């Protein structure tokens, strides 16, 4: 069973990675390049040699973006599949629902919670703390994000057995409380003195949406692969079926 989950996770990672890599190559990298040039005056002519070198650099960056995007998503897909195998019985929903709940928890843990203190840094950002300290802060915030995710899922399960709508409200309480507290008390660790606030916000929103999309594609792909395999076996459910009957 674990092998089947892991295999689907890796396959889903390839799907998500290709989508993410293409997004980086055609959207994120050009935006980063634009932000980089927005901070400097490049009005003088550098000649054809510079143009050729710049084109080669852009091509190399695009190739690296696609490759790294695939590898990152494959890693996430494997971790996602293993987590789904062990946690699925405790997750709300059945089938696709539990996969998307886990994907939301993964995004909240790995990206959303840490970014409340360590937001995505656009080109030219000034970092207040050292790399080592920022890494320690990030690890601590990931742990906090995991606790918040567990609290949200636990709150839903406890309340939804009596009223599903109230269960959803209960699940949002620890998430909203964490967002409000961290946004209020967190110090300014990253600044962008040479960029307009609108450009920084656009870059950070793009980063957040792209990471959320990876988790969403992973959940959708894993569920689709499982349904396809189930259909190919004529809908026969084996004795090892582990689907939860949670609300």
């Amino acid at each position: 069973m674990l092998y089947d989950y892991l295999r689907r996770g890796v396959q889903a990672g390839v799907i998500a990675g290709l989508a993410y890599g293409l997004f980086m190559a055609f959207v994120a990298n050009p935006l980063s390049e634009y932000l980089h040039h927005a901070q400097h005056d490049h009005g003088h002519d550098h000649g054809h040699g510079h143009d050729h070198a710049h084109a080669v650099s852009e091509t190399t960056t695009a190739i690296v973006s696609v490759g790294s995007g695939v590898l990152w998503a494959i890693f996430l897909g494997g971790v996602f599949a293993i987590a789904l195998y062990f946690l699925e019985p405790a997750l709300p929903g059945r089938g696709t629902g539990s996969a998307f709940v886990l994907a939301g928890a993964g995004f909240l843990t790995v990206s959303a919670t840490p970014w409340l203190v360590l937001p995505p840094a656009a080109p030219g950002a000034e970092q207040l703390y050292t790399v080592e300290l920022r890494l320690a802060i990030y690890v601590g915030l990931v742990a906090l994000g995991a606790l918040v995710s567990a609290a949200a899922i636990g709150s839903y399960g406890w309340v939804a057995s009596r009223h599903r709508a109230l269960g959803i409200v209960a699940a949002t309480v620890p998430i909203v409380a964490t967002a409000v507290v961290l946004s209020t008390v967190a110090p300014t660790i990253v600044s962008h003195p040479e960029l307009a606030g609108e450009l920084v916000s656009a870059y950070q929103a793009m980063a957040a949406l792209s990471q959320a999309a990876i988790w969403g594609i992973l959940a959708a792909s894993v569920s689709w692969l499982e349904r396809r395999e189930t259909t190919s076996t004529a809908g026969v459910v084996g004795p090892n079926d582990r689907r939860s009957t949670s609300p």
Side-chain angles (χ1 to χ4, degrees), residues 37-96:
H37 285 291
Q39 300 174 78
H40 304 282
D41 181 13
H42 292 282
H44 58 284
D45 184 13
H46 293 283
H48 296 293
H50 177 271
D51 292 340
H52 175 70
H54 184 68
V56 172
S57 176
E58 285 187 338
T59 302
T60 302
T61 301
I63 294 173
V64 171
S65 295
V66 174
S68 60
V70 171
L71 292 177
W72 169 242
I74 288 175
F75 170 75
L76 279 185
V79 173
F80 178 82
I82 294 172
L84 185 62
Y85 176 81
F86 288 105
L87 299 178
E88 187 176 25
L91 293 173
R94 285 178 285 182
T96 302

Side-chain angles (χ1 to χ4, degrees), residues 12-145:
V14 172
I15 296 171
L18 288 173
Y20 180 65
L22 292 174
F23 170 82
M24 289 295 296
F26 294 105
V27 179
N29 289 344
L31 178 57
S32 296
E33 185 74 10
Y34 173 78
L35 294 179
H36 175 76
H37 285 291
Q39 300 174 78
H40 304 282
D41 181 13
H42 292 282
H44 58 284
D45 184 13
H46 293 283
H48 296 293
H50 177 271
D51 292 340
H52 175 70
H54 184 68
V56 172
S57 176
E58 285 187 338
T59 302
T60 302
T61 301
I63 294 173
V64 171
S65 295
V66 174
S68 60
V70 171
L71 292 177
W72 169 242
I74 288 175
F75 170 75
L76 279 185
V79 173
F80 178 82
I82 294 172
L84 185 62
Y85 176 81
F86 288 105
L87 299 178
E88 187 176 25
L91 293 173
R94 285 178 285 182
T96 302
S98 59
F100 275 98
V101 168
L102 182 60
F107 174 71
L108 180 65
T109 299
V110 176
S111 297
T113 301
W115 282 348
L116 292 171
V117 179
L118 296 168
E126 293 184 359
Q127 304 283 355
L128 179 61
Y129 299 141
T130 64
V131 174
E132 292 78 10
L133 183 54
R134 294 200 307 272
L135 180 60
I137 293 173
Y138 175 79
V139 171
L141 290 169
V142 167
L144 175 62

